[in-house]
Amino acid sequence: MIVRFGYVAMSTVVKNASPSKTMTYKTFSSLSDREAAVRRLELIGADNLHNTLRLLRHNEANDIKVYRFSSKLLPLATHDALYDWNPYAALKDQFQEVGDFVKQHGMRVSFHPDHFMVLSTPRPEVLHSSLRDLRHHVAMLEAMGLDGRAKNNIHVGGAYGDKLSAAERFRENVTALPDSIKNRLTFENDDKTFNALETLELCEALGIPMVLDIHHQWVNNEGEQPVDLWPRIQRTWQSPHAQADSPSSDPLPPKIHASSPKSASDPRGHADHVLAQPLLDFLRAIAPATKRVDVMLEAKQKDGALFMLMEDLRQYEGDGVQFLSEASVRIQP
């Protein structure tokens, strides 16, 4: 089984390369010249996209093929007061440069919209803002010229005192989405509400691929083991929505999230780094029935944690672990 490792948004290795610089609406509204204020937003967005490209070049230099974009590339892009602003057109060249680099180097990229993007909500105004945010993420991927392999990963959302009703609202709202949005969706189990089994059942019902978070599953489960769910999870990656717009010769492999608990008192929090042994145990368990899998590391040290994990995995080289690059390995069944 071939395993590629990636990280989230920011680098702790590359200096002064934040892709998440922002401007508050308070600052924006305090500027008397609205046109000049919008230009400032565009300059911030251009700088964020430039730093994203710097990080992608850093990733390529280190054989990192899996990366999650920052959701904060465009400050205030979904704010009600900026309904007439089209940042995707204004920053067309910058978006295209990022997308071209991704395609040229065969990278797997994604977004993870913020926690306020909730499709299980009973409140129409929250659903409205959630759908707007989801459309925004799709628009950024389209501005990059990326096909349906570039996904938006979301959680199911809150239970609001009635998990069955919340799940049904989620199903109805996802079903109503156009394919242009559904084809880019993945669902992830969370650490408090919708566990791996419940999320998997929604993925199966809606034909959406599931991203298994093995840390979330550890702190929120019904007693099932992630390995036992894996055959069903893996099949969700064969659905039409999973492979939409993907060349048949290059189907997307399943994807998981991995992190380690911050501490015994904060088991849900993410540690600075990822412990190698628990992750390797899981990867070895799924290897006999899995050809490829991509692992997104959700550690506080970002790419620094990825480099440390690879160093830690070196001790298993020759013991069923073969290094293929600086950020990928082959796990022998």
Side-chain angles (χ1 to χ4, degrees):
M1 178 179 72
I2 295 174
V3 184
R4 301 187 301 179
F5 297 97
Y7 69 99
V8 175
M10 309 288 287
S11 173
T12 58
V13 176
V14 181
K15 304 303 180 185
N16 303 313
S18 171
S20 303
K21 296 174 184 176
T22 192
M23 177 193 289
T24 66
Y25 181 68
K26 181 178 180 180
T27 298
F28 176 86
S29 59
S30 69
L31 300 174
S32 57
D33 186 333
R34 189 178 190 277
E35 184 176 347
V38 170
R39 295 293 83 78
R40 282 187 59 180
L41 287 178
E42 290 173 357
L43 286 173
I44 294 171
D47 193 41
N48 286 338
L49 287 164
H50 172 70
N51 282 339
T52 297
L53 188 59
R54 289 178 61 200
L55 294 179
L56 292 175
R57 288 172 174 152
H58 160 69
N59 294 349
E60 181 60 22
N62 290 281
D63 301 313
I64 300 170
K65 296 293 188 179
V66 182
Y67 176 71
R68 181 192 301 167
F69 292 126
S70 167
S71 283
K72 299 178 181 178
L73 294 175
L74 298 177
L76 303 180
T78 60
H79 198 284
D80 288 339
L82 285 142
Y83 69 92
D84 57 342
W85 178 40
N86 185 348
Y88 322 108
L91 298 170
K92 176 182 177 181
D93 292 343
Q94 292 88 341
F95 273 113
Q96 193 65 53
E97 192 173 13
V98 168
D100 287 348
F101 193 91
V102 167
K103 289 183 286 188
Q104 179 184 351
H105 296 284
M107 294 180 169
R108 180 176 190 172
V109 294
S110 62
F111 279 113
H112 194 346
D114 291 333
H115 64 278
F116 57 78
M117 210 293 299
V118 184
L119 297 185
S120 65
T121 179
R123 297 170 56 191
E125 69 275 15
V126 174
L127 178 62
H128 175 76
S129 63
S130 296
L131 294 175
R132 179 177 56 193
D133 190 59
L134 195 51
R135 288 192 295 268
H136 163 59
H137 283 81
V138 170
M140 287 193 287
L141 293 172
E142 290 177 341
M144 294 176 191
L146 299 176
D147 64 21
R149 288 171 293 183
K151 303 292 188 183
N152 292 311
N153 182 58
I154 66 172
H155 295 290
V156 177
Y160 305 98
D162 185 346
K163 189 182 286 188
L164 290 177
S165 296
E168 184 56 32
R169 281 194 302 273
F170 181 84
R171 287 182 59 164
E172 292 174 356
N173 290 332
V174 171
T175 299
L177 293 172
D179 282 347
S180 60
I181 294 179
K182 279 192 284 194
N183 289 344
R184 293 191 183 272
L185 282 179
T186 60
F187 302 156
E188 174 194 352
N189 55 304
D190 68 62
D191 59 348
K192 292 183 178 180
T193 309
F194 283 90
N195 61 36
L197 181 58
E198 293 162 336
T199 304
L200 174 57
E201 290 171 346
L202 285 166
C203 286
E204 291 172 332
L206 292 164
I208 302 294
M210 177 174 169
V211 173
L212 172 66
D213 189 307
I214 56 177
H215 181 184
H216 289 172
Q217 197 278 339
W218 177 66
V219 297
N220 180 27
N221 63 77
E222 297 179 4
E224 71 284 344
Q225 296 299 313
V227 173
D228 296 331
L229 297 177
W230 185 251
R232 291 170 60 188
I233 292 172
Q234 190 167 208
R235 283 195 293 273
T236 67
W237 287 92
Q238 300 169 7
S239 71
H241 289 306
Q243 303 299 341
D245 300 325
S246 299
S248 58
S249 60
D250 186 27
L252 274 176
K255 185 179 184 182
I256 68 170
H257 288 177
S259 54
S260 295
K262 184 175 182 180
S263 65
S265 60
D266 184 13
R268 288 186 168 87
H270 291 175
D272 285 348
H273 300 97
V274 177
L275 295 174
Q277 186 64 63
L279 175 56
L280 184 56
D281 288 345
F282 174 77
L283 294 174
R284 282 174 164 162
I286 67 171
T290 309
K291 292 182 178 180
R292 297 166 59 205
V293 68
D294 289 336
V295 181
M296 180 65 71
L297 302 179
E298 296 186 315
K300 296 297 185 182
Q301 285 299 305
K302 309 295 184 179
D303 53 345
L306 189 158
F307 295 139
M308 179 168 284
L309 175 65
M310 298 306 288
E311 289 182 15
D312 292 343
L313 288 174
R314 287 285 180 187
Q315 66 181 300
Y316 301 97
E317 197 169 9
D319 183 22
V321 177
Q322 175 190 359
F323 275 71
L324 302 177
S325 74
E326 295 303 308
S328 64
V329 298
R330 185 188 305 276
I331 305 293
Q332 300 295 341

